[in-house]
Amino acid sequence: MAISFFTSRKILEALGVEDLGIYNVVGSLIIMFDFVSSGLSNATQRYLNIGLGENNIEKTRQYFSQSLAIHIAFALIIVILAETVGLWFVMNKLIIPPERLDAAIMILHFSVLSLVFRFIKTCYESDVIARESMSIYAYLSILEGIGKLTVCYAVIYYSSMDKLILYGFLILLINAVITLFNVVYCSIKFKETHIRYYS
């Protein structure tokens, strides 16, 4: 939490008021879909708890595989909406300085991809919570906070590229790495995350 408070100030210093405003406005178009992810996370966790409570790995694997498929389906629907309606909205309705429009569109694309990674990560995080492996959950949260702080310093001191685009890309990269770590950790540690097709 302390890292997050400090990072907020550094983001403002790194991007400036205008670029931070663009990032927040364009990113918030995507973040508003995040409520779907939290609802799916609660449902996934509940079903995984049922399977684990019954000590039935096959049933738990089925719940996990179907939950992941639902998460991916919702993510794809949101990608289609964001890359059509969202793109039109950014280009035609938001008041963005013309010289920053290309950067805003790139931030939209990065935010959409970040949301896809968050949807996938949520499914695996639900399994970590259902398994009560809270230490790995805490370590990943700390790692994510440190990563975001590192990104702020990278943006401040690396000036040969558009800072807003660089920031958006590095945040996307952090989301991808954290998601990948979740997937690998759960696949190694928990049998139910070995995905199978269920009709």
Side-chain angles (χ1 to χ4, degrees):
M1 201 157 65
I3 292 170
S4 296
F5 284 133
F6 187 69
T7 303
S8 299
R9 210 174 72 215
K10 284 294 173 188
I11 292 171
L12 181 59
E13 182 184 330
L15 295 180
V17 175
E18 185 177 283
D19 280 353
L20 183 60
I22 291 170
Y23 182 83
N24 285 333
V25 168
V26 174
S28 68
L29 292 174
I30 305 307
I31 297 299
M32 71 180 183
F33 291 110
D34 210 25
F35 75 91
V36 176
S37 176
S38 79
L40 287 174
S41 172
N42 291 337
T44 300
Q45 190 178 329
R46 185 172 297 133
Y47 278 102
L48 292 175
N49 283 334
I50 290 168
L52 291 170
E54 294 173 357
N55 204 20
N56 187 335
I57 291 298
E58 189 54 39
K59 185 187 271 190
T60 310
R61 181 179 288 143
Q62 180 178 358
Y63 291 151
F64 181 83
S65 297
Q66 290 174 335
S67 295
L68 185 61
I70 291 168
H71 277 76
I72 291 170
F74 268 103
L76 290 175
I77 290 167
I78 290 170
V79 166
I80 291 166
L81 285 172
E83 291 293 343
T84 53
V85 177
L87 188 60
W88 171 84
F89 190 80
V90 168
M91 293 177 74
N92 296 299
K93 294 296 178 184
L94 289 183
I95 301 170
I96 295 173
E99 68 276 6
R100 302 305 293 146
L101 187 59
D102 289 340
I105 291 170
M106 288 301 294
I107 291 302
L108 176 71
H109 298 318
F110 292 150
S111 297
V112 169
L113 285 173
S114 288
L115 186 67
V116 170
F117 285 122
R118 269 207 304 271
F119 263 84
I120 294 168
K121 181 180 80 168
T122 297
C123 204
Y124 285 90
E125 275 183 353
S126 297
D127 193 57
V128 168
I129 293 168
R131 284 284 193 166
E132 296 180 357
S133 297
M134 301 314 283
S135 59
I136 193 67
Y137 185 77
Y139 292 141
L140 284 174
S141 296
I142 292 168
L143 183 65
E144 189 173 0
I146 291 169
K148 287 181 178 177
L149 183 61
T150 306
V151 164
C152 291
Y153 280 107
V155 171
I156 289 169
Y157 296 112
Y158 189 80
S159 59
S160 65
M161 187 176 173
D162 186 298
K163 289 183 183 239
L164 180 58
I165 293 173
L166 178 63
Y167 179 75
F169 175 74
L170 291 176
I171 291 294
L172 169 62
L173 194 61
I174 286 173
N175 284 327
V177 167
I178 296 292
T179 300
L180 183 64
F181 191 89
N182 268 291
V183 171
V184 170
Y185 176 82
C186 289
S187 298
I188 292 169
K189 207 80 169 139
F190 308 130
K191 291 179 183 176
E192 66 271 9
T193 59
H194 300 170
I195 302 161
R196 288 188 186 169
Y197 173 74
Y198 294 92
S199 58

